[in-house]
Amino acid sequence: MKQVLKHIPNAITCCNLISGCIAIMWATRGDFRLALLFIVIGAVFDFFDGMSARLLHVSSPIGKELDSLADVVTFGVAPSFMLSSWMKEACIYEWLFLLPMLMAAFSALRLAKFNLDERQAMGFIGLPTPANALFWGALVTSLSQNPVAYYFPQLVPILMVVMLVSCYLLVSEIPMFALKFKHWGWKGNEVRYLFLISCVPLLLFLGVYGISAIILWYVVLSLVTRKV
């Protein structure tokens, strides 16, 4: 039975990787809504693979490495393809649409650092790759649904600056909180509960844009509370 159980977390991780591959496929076809959907599905699998490994007591070094490889695809390559594909349609600057591939490289670097960093048991050092992927996936999806965005070529350089900032955040030494609860009480979890409560109106009023707003709010809240 143990031999069967030990493969369950890795199977879930592979579902994450497959979701990322499907997201890339839809991104290259210009269907950003489906690409974002599969990034979200990948994030769900990413959440449950670690949980299942802990519950079943079958954590392993290969599972840790496999998880990072899957995350590179789903949370590094997929959002990079989404942004690049949208820019290829909207951009008047030749070859600039290749620049978002930097995000995939920085995501891989961030995940490699995470595997070697023992300080991130209850929090993160730098922006987590799923958060970065959701920010860009939601933003690109929202822009693709807004025809007005295609008539503002100056938007592309602004997005590139924001993209470079997000690359920096991925590998930065900035502490950011994680939604990990040692208990369900208010004390000690104030920041986590404040964040979760504030997410509801952002999603209700902003729709898909709200996902990007939530990630931006997450970064700001982490910066404000990092010394608290």
Side-chain angles (χ1 to χ4, degrees):
M1 188 64 177
K2 184 78 171 180
Q3 293 299 315
V4 175
L5 292 178
K6 73 176 184 179
H7 294 297
I8 292 177
N10 290 345
I12 297 174
T13 302
C14 288
C15 289
N16 171 16
L17 190 150
I18 293 169
S19 297
C21 293
I22 296 173
I24 293 169
M25 180 191 71
W26 287 119
T28 57
R29 295 184 179 185
D31 194 327
F32 301 116
R33 287 183 299 176
L34 280 176
L36 174 60
L37 173 62
F38 278 95
I39 288 177
V40 172
I41 292 173
V44 174
F45 283 126
D46 184 53
F47 176 80
F48 282 108
D49 63 358
M51 177 183 289
S52 63
R54 290 188 293 270
L55 288 175
L56 298 173
H57 304 290
V58 290
S59 299
S60 65
I62 191 172
K64 184 178 181 181
E65 299 303 322
L66 182 62
D67 183 66
S68 291
L69 292 171
D71 286 355
V72 168
V73 175
T74 306
F75 309 128
V77 179
S80 297
F81 265 80
M82 288 184 70
L83 182 56
S84 179
S85 296
W86 180 81
M87 284 179 58
K88 191 173 182 180
E89 295 179 14
C91 186
I92 62 172
Y93 307 99
E94 190 174 7
W95 301 115
L96 191 61
F97 70 90
L98 296 175
L99 193 59
M101 296 307 165
L102 280 174
M103 194 158 56
F106 275 87
S107 296
L109 182 57
R110 190 266 184 281
L111 289 162
K113 289 181 61 179
F114 179 81
N115 282 352
L116 300 175
D117 196 334
E118 298 179 355
R119 299 171 296 168
Q120 303 188 54
M122 288 301 295
F124 298 111
I125 306 296
L127 181 66
T129 51
N132 184 66
L134 290 171
F135 173 85
W136 285 106
L139 184 60
V140 170
T141 301
S142 300
L143 290 173
S144 69
Q145 295 174 341
N146 184 2
V148 178
Y150 290 93
Y151 295 98
F152 289 92
Q154 63 269 28
L155 181 62
V156 171
I158 295 173
L159 286 176
M160 290 302 92
V161 171
V162 177
M163 188 271 294
L164 292 174
V165 171
S166 72
C167 287
Y168 163 74
L169 290 174
L170 284 167
V171 297
S172 71
E173 289 292 306
I174 299 173
M176 297 191 181
F177 67 90
L179 294 176
K180 297 179 181 178
F181 295 82
K182 285 187 176 180
H183 57 84
W184 298 108
W186 174 262
K187 188 172 178 59
N189 291 316
E190 298 90 345
V191 175
R192 296 177 181 87
Y193 279 123
L194 173 63
F195 174 71
L196 290 174
I197 293 169
S198 61
C199 287
V200 176
L202 289 173
L203 282 175
L204 288 176
F205 291 107
L206 297 178
V208 178
Y209 273 118
I211 299 175
S212 297
I214 285 170
I215 303 304
L216 184 60
W217 170 230
Y218 167 74
V219 173
V220 172
L221 193 57
S222 293
L223 291 171
V224 171
T225 61
R226 59 178 173 167
K227 293 183 180 180
V228 176

mmCIF file of all heavy atoms in Angstrom, residues 177-203:
data_model
loop_
_atom_site.group_PDB
_atom_site.id
_atom_site.type_symbol
_atom_site.label_atom_id
_atom_site.label_comp_id
_atom_site.label_asym_id
_atom_site.label_seq_id
_atom_site.Cartn_x
_atom_site.Cartn_y
_atom_site.Cartn_z
ATOM 1 N N PHE A 177 4.643 37.151 3.242
ATOM 2 C CA PHE A 177 3.920 36.177 4.064
ATOM 3 C C PHE A 177 3.310 35.076 3.200
ATOM 4 O O PHE A 177 3.048 35.253 2.006
ATOM 5 C CB PHE A 177 2.836 36.874 4.899
ATOM 6 C CG PHE A 177 1.706 37.462 4.104
ATOM 7 C CD1 PHE A 177 0.578 36.711 3.806
ATOM 8 C CD2 PHE A 177 1.752 38.787 3.662
ATOM 9 C CE1 PHE A 177 -0.473 37.249 3.077
ATOM 10 C CE2 PHE A 177 0.699 39.343 2.937
ATOM 11 C CZ PHE A 177 -0.409 38.564 2.638
ATOM 12 N N ALA A 178 3.097 33.929 3.824
ATOM 13 C CA ALA A 178 2.451 32.793 3.159
ATOM 14 C C ALA A 178 1.126 32.516 3.858
ATOM 15 O O ALA A 178 0.961 32.815 5.041
ATOM 16 C CB ALA A 178 3.351 31.562 3.223
ATOM 17 N N LEU A 179 0.196 31.952 3.125
ATOM 18 C CA LEU A 179 -1.112 31.615 3.700
ATOM 19 C C LEU A 179 -1.042 30.255 4.390
ATOM 20 O O LEU A 179 -1.766 29.312 4.064
ATOM 21 C CB LEU A 179 -2.188 31.626 2.624
ATOM 22 C CG LEU A 179 -2.483 32.995 2.002
ATOM 23 C CD1 LEU A 179 -3.498 32.855 0.876
ATOM 24 C CD2 LEU A 179 -2.984 33.975 3.057
ATOM 25 N N LYS A 180 -0.139 30.174 5.350
ATOM 26 C CA LYS A 180 0.034 28.958 6.140
ATOM 27 C C LYS A 180 -0.364 29.260 7.578
ATOM 28 O O LYS A 180 0.192 30.164 8.203
ATOM 29 C CB LYS A 180 1.483 28.470 6.071
ATOM 30 C CG LYS A 180 1.940 28.067 4.683
ATOM 31 C CD LYS A 180 3.387 27.613 4.683
ATOM 32 C CE LYS A 180 3.847 27.229 3.283
ATOM 33 N NZ LYS A 180 5.282 26.823 3.254
ATOM 34 N N PHE A 181 -1.322 28.518 8.100
ATOM 35 C CA PHE A 181 -1.856 28.758 9.428
ATOM 36 C C PHE A 181 -1.407 27.636 10.367
ATOM 37 O O PHE A 181 -1.681 26.463 10.112
ATOM 38 C CB PHE A 181 -3.389 28.796 9.402
ATOM 39 C CG PHE A 181 -3.959 29.934 8.606
ATOM 40 C CD1 PHE A 181 -4.074 29.850 7.220
ATOM 41 C CD2 PHE A 181 -4.397 31.078 9.236
ATOM 42 C CE1 PHE A 181 -4.618 30.887 6.484
ATOM 43 C CE2 PHE A 181 -4.939 32.140 8.509
ATOM 44 C CZ PHE A 181 -5.052 32.040 7.136
ATOM 45 N N LYS A 182 -0.713 28.031 11.461
ATOM 46 C CA LYS A 182 -0.404 27.047 12.493
ATOM 47 C C LYS A 182 -1.628 26.786 13.357
ATOM 48 O O LYS A 182 -1.769 25.732 13.950
ATOM 49 C CB LYS A 182 0.755 27.550 13.367
ATOM 50 C CG LYS A 182 2.119 27.459 12.687
ATOM 51 C CD LYS A 182 3.220 27.812 13.661
ATOM 52 C CE LYS A 182 4.592 27.619 13.018
ATOM 53 N NZ LYS A 182 5.702 27.959 13.959
ATOM 54 N N HIS A 183 -2.510 27.781 13.428
ATOM 55 C CA HIS A 183 -3.782 27.656 14.143
ATOM 56 C C HIS A 183 -4.771 28.579 13.444
ATOM 57 O O HIS A 183 -4.413 29.340 12.552
ATOM 58 C CB HIS A 183 -3.621 28.042 15.622
ATOM 59 C CG HIS A 183 -3.077 29.435 15.815
ATOM 60 N ND1 HIS A 183 -3.883 30.544 15.792
ATOM 61 C CD2 HIS A 183 -1.808 29.886 16.005
ATOM 62 C CE1 HIS A 183 -3.143 31.627 15.984
ATOM 63 N NE2 HIS A 183 -1.883 31.260 16.107
ATOM 64 N N TRP A 184 -6.046 28.514 13.832
ATOM 65 C CA TRP A 184 -7.084 29.282 13.151
ATOM 66 C C TRP A 184 -7.484 30.537 13.915
ATOM 67 O O TRP A 184 -8.423 31.223 13.535
ATOM 68 C CB TRP A 184 -8.323 28.414 12.895
ATOM 69 C CG TRP A 184 -8.018 27.251 12.007
ATOM 70 C CD1 TRP A 184 -7.948 25.942 12.378
ATOM 71 C CD2 TRP A 184 -7.696 27.284 10.620
ATOM 72 N NE1 TRP A 184 -7.613 25.147 11.312
ATOM 73 C CE2 TRP A 184 -7.450 25.951 10.203
ATOM 74 C CE3 TRP A 184 -7.584 28.308 9.674
ATOM 75 C CZ2 TRP A 184 -7.114 25.621 8.902
ATOM 76 C CZ3 TRP A 184 -7.249 27.966 8.372
ATOM 77 C CH2 TRP A 184 -7.018 26.644 8.000
ATOM 78 N N GLY A 185 -6.780 30.833 15.014
ATOM 79 C CA GLY A 185 -7.083 32.029 15.795
ATOM 80 C C GLY A 185 -6.626 33.300 15.090
ATOM 81 O O GLY A 185 -5.821 33.273 14.148
ATOM 82 N N TRP A 186 -7.151 34.445 15.577
ATOM 83 C CA TRP A 186 -6.814 35.743 14.992
ATOM 84 C C TRP A 186 -5.385 36.149 15.305
ATOM 85 O O TRP A 186 -4.667 36.615 14.423
ATOM 86 C CB TRP A 186 -7.799 36.797 15.492
ATOM 87 C CG TRP A 186 -7.467 38.192 15.060
ATOM 88 C CD1 TRP A 186 -6.812 39.149 15.795
ATOM 89 C CD2 TRP A 186 -7.746 38.800 13.787
ATOM 90 N NE1 TRP A 186 -6.663 40.301 15.072
ATOM 91 C CE2 TRP A 186 -7.230 40.115 13.842
ATOM 92 C CE3 TRP A 186 -8.376 38.366 12.625
ATOM 93 C CZ2 TRP A 186 -7.337 40.992 12.760
ATOM 94 C CZ3 TRP A 186 -8.475 39.238 11.557
ATOM 95 C CH2 TRP A 186 -7.964 40.534 11.632
ATOM 96 N N LYS A 187 -4.967 35.970 16.555
ATOM 97 C CA LYS A 187 -3.646 36.414 16.987
ATOM 98 C C LYS A 187 -2.557 35.631 16.260
ATOM 99 O O LYS A 187 -2.543 34.402 16.252
ATOM 100 C CB LYS A 187 -3.485 36.231 18.504
ATOM 101 C CG LYS A 187 -2.213 36.856 19.057
ATOM 102 C CD LYS A 187 -2.199 36.810 20.568
ATOM 103 C CE LYS A 187 -0.919 37.394 21.132
ATOM 104 N NZ LYS A 187 -0.719 38.802 20.718
ATOM 105 N N GLY A 188 -1.685 36.365 15.644
ATOM 106 C CA GLY A 188 -0.607 35.759 14.868
ATOM 107 C C GLY A 188 -0.956 35.554 13.405
ATOM 108 O O GLY A 188 -0.073 35.324 12.570
ATOM 109 N N ASN A 189 -2.252 35.655 13.083
ATOM 110 C CA ASN A 189 -2.704 35.487 11.696
ATOM 111 C C ASN A 189 -3.398 36.735 11.166
ATOM 112 O O ASN A 189 -4.125 36.661 10.164
ATOM 113 C CB ASN A 189 -3.680 34.304 11.596
ATOM 114 C CG ASN A 189 -2.994 32.977 11.823
ATOM 115 O OD1 ASN A 189 -1.910 32.722 11.299
ATOM 116 N ND2 ASN A 189 -3.615 32.118 12.623
ATOM 117 N N GLU A 190 -3.183 37.875 11.835
ATOM 118 C CA GLU A 190 -3.891 39.092 11.465
ATOM 119 C C GLU A 190 -3.691 39.460 9.998
ATOM 120 O O GLU A 190 -4.650 39.794 9.287
ATOM 121 C CB GLU A 190 -3.438 40.268 12.350
ATOM 122 C CG GLU A 190 -3.725 40.105 13.827
ATOM 123 C CD GLU A 190 -2.593 39.420 14.571
ATOM 124 O OE1 GLU A 190 -1.719 38.819 13.899
ATOM 125 O OE2 GLU A 190 -2.577 39.486 15.810
ATOM 126 N N VAL A 191 -2.449 39.408 9.538
ATOM 127 C CA VAL A 191 -2.144 39.794 8.155
ATOM 128 C C VAL A 191 -2.815 38.842 7.168
ATOM 129 O O VAL A 191 -3.380 39.273 6.151
ATOM 130 C CB VAL A 191 -0.617 39.818 7.922
ATOM 131 C CG1 VAL A 191 -0.300 40.094 6.459
ATOM 132 C CG2 VAL A 191 0.032 40.868 8.807
ATOM 133 N N ARG A 192 -2.787 37.563 7.467
ATOM 134 C CA ARG A 192 -3.392 36.575 6.569
ATOM 135 C C ARG A 192 -4.894 36.779 6.460
ATOM 136 O O ARG A 192 -5.462 36.748 5.360
ATOM 137 C CB ARG A 192 -3.076 35.164 7.063
ATOM 138 C CG ARG A 192 -1.578 34.828 7.035
ATOM 139 C CD ARG A 192 -1.310 33.442 7.606
ATOM 140 N NE ARG A 192 0.111 33.139 7.605
ATOM 141 C CZ ARG A 192 0.947 33.470 8.577
ATOM 142 N NH1 ARG A 192 0.489 34.113 9.655
ATOM 143 N NH2 ARG A 192 2.224 33.174 8.500
ATOM 144 N N TYR A 193 -5.567 36.986 7.601
ATOM 145 C CA TYR A 193 -7.020 37.185 7.575
ATOM 146 C C TYR A 193 -7.385 38.507 6.899
ATOM 147 O O TYR A 193 -8.365 38.578 6.146
ATOM 148 C CB TYR A 193 -7.589 37.141 8.996
ATOM 149 C CG TYR A 193 -7.792 35.734 9.511
ATOM 150 C CD1 TYR A 193 -7.174 35.304 10.690
ATOM 151 C CD2 TYR A 193 -8.604 34.835 8.828
ATOM 152 C CE1 TYR A 193 -7.363 34.008 11.159
ATOM 153 C CE2 TYR A 193 -8.794 33.540 9.291
ATOM 154 C CZ TYR A 193 -8.173 33.138 10.453
ATOM 155 O OH TYR A 193 -8.366 31.848 10.909
ATOM 156 N N LEU A 194 -6.599 39.550 7.151
ATOM 157 C CA LEU A 194 -6.843 40.833 6.510
ATOM 158 C C LEU A 194 -6.742 40.696 4.996
ATOM 159 O O LEU A 194 -7.578 41.227 4.252
ATOM 160 C CB LEU A 194 -5.839 41.878 7.016
ATOM 161 C CG LEU A 194 -5.858 43.248 6.314
ATOM 162 C CD1 LEU A 194 -7.203 43.939 6.531
ATOM 163 C CD2 LEU A 194 -4.716 44.125 6.816
ATOM 164 N N PHE A 195 -5.748 39.968 4.550
ATOM 165 C CA PHE A 195 -5.560 39.767 3.113
ATOM 166 C C PHE A 195 -6.729 38.992 2.512
ATOM 167 O O PHE A 195 -7.294 39.391 1.483
ATOM 168 C CB PHE A 195 -4.245 39.023 2.869
ATOM 169 C CG PHE A 195 -4.016 38.647 1.438
ATOM 170 C CD1 PHE A 195 -3.715 39.599 0.483
ATOM 171 C CD2 PHE A 195 -4.127 37.319 1.030
ATOM 172 C CE1 PHE A 195 -3.513 39.253 -0.847
ATOM 173 C CE2 PHE A 195 -3.927 36.960 -0.286
ATOM 174 C CZ PHE A 195 -3.620 37.932 -1.225
ATOM 175 N N LEU A 196 -7.116 37.894 3.138
ATOM 176 C CA LEU A 196 -8.199 37.069 2.609
ATOM 177 C C LEU A 196 -9.518 37.827 2.558
ATOM 178 O O LEU A 196 -10.267 37.736 1.573
ATOM 179 C CB LEU A 196 -8.351 35.803 3.456
ATOM 180 C CG LEU A 196 -7.218 34.768 3.332
ATOM 181 C CD1 LEU A 196 -7.418 33.641 4.334
ATOM 182 C CD2 LEU A 196 -7.140 34.218 1.917
ATOM 183 N N ILE A 197 -9.808 38.602 3.594
ATOM 184 C CA ILE A 197 -11.058 39.372 3.639
ATOM 185 C C ILE A 197 -11.078 40.436 2.542
ATOM 186 O O ILE A 197 -12.089 40.651 1.873
ATOM 187 C CB ILE A 197 -11.252 40.012 5.025
ATOM 188 C CG1 ILE A 197 -11.491 38.919 6.080
ATOM 189 C CG2 ILE A 197 -12.418 40.997 5.022
ATOM 190 C CD1 ILE A 197 -11.434 39.423 7.505
ATOM 191 N N SER A 198 -9.937 41.084 2.328
ATOM 192 C CA SER A 198 -9.869 42.161 1.337
ATOM 193 C C SER A 198 -9.911 41.635 -0.094
ATOM 194 O O SER A 198 -10.202 42.385 -1.029
ATOM 195 C CB SER A 198 -8.601 42.993 1.548
ATOM 196 O OG SER A 198 -7.438 42.193 1.402
ATOM 197 N N CYS A 199 -9.628 40.350 -0.290
ATOM 198 C CA CYS A 199 -9.664 39.770 -1.638
ATOM 199 C C CYS A 199 -11.086 39.719 -2.195
ATOM 200 O O CYS A 199 -11.286 39.831 -3.416
ATOM 201 C CB CYS A 199 -9.086 38.357 -1.624
ATOM 202 S SG CYS A 199 -7.287 38.297 -1.443
ATOM 203 N N VAL A 200 -12.061 39.553 -1.312
ATOM 204 C CA VAL A 200 -13.445 39.366 -1.759
ATOM 205 C C VAL A 200 -13.964 40.562 -2.554
ATOM 206 O O VAL A 200 -14.429 40.395 -3.688
ATOM 207 C CB VAL A 200 -14.365 39.060 -0.561
ATOM 208 C CG1 VAL A 200 -15.816 38.953 -1.010
ATOM 209 C CG2 VAL A 200 -13.918 37.776 0.128
ATOM 210 N N PRO A 201 -13.893 41.804 -2.019
ATOM 211 C CA PRO A 201 -14.394 42.934 -2.823
ATOM 212 C C PRO A 201 -13.597 43.182 -4.094
ATOM 213 O O PRO A 201 -14.156 43.623 -5.105
ATOM 214 C CB PRO A 201 -14.292 44.124 -1.856
ATOM 215 C CG PRO A 201 -13.307 43.717 -0.813
ATOM 216 C CD PRO A 201 -13.460 42.234 -0.684
ATOM 217 N N LEU A 202 -12.296 42.897 -4.066
ATOM 218 C CA LEU A 202 -11.487 43.089 -5.275
ATOM 219 C C LEU A 202 -11.969 42.180 -6.400
ATOM 220 O O LEU A 202 -12.080 42.604 -7.559
ATOM 221 C CB LEU A 202 -10.010 42.818 -4.967
ATOM 222 C CG LEU A 202 -9.293 43.865 -4.102
ATOM 223 C CD1 LEU A 202 -7.893 43.392 -3.740
ATOM 224 C CD2 LEU A 202 -9.237 45.205 -4.819
ATOM 225 N N LEU A 203 -12.278 40.939 -6.077
ATOM 226 C CA LEU A 203 -12.773 40.013 -7.088
ATOM 227 C C LEU A 203 -14.184 40.376 -7.548
ATOM 228 O O LEU A 203 -14.507 40.311 -8.736
ATOM 229 C CB LEU A 203 -12.764 38.586 -6.544
ATOM 230 C CG LEU A 203 -11.412 37.873 -6.502
ATOM 231 C CD1 LEU A 203 -11.551 36.527 -5.818
ATOM 232 C CD2 LEU A 203 -10.836 37.700 -7.901
#
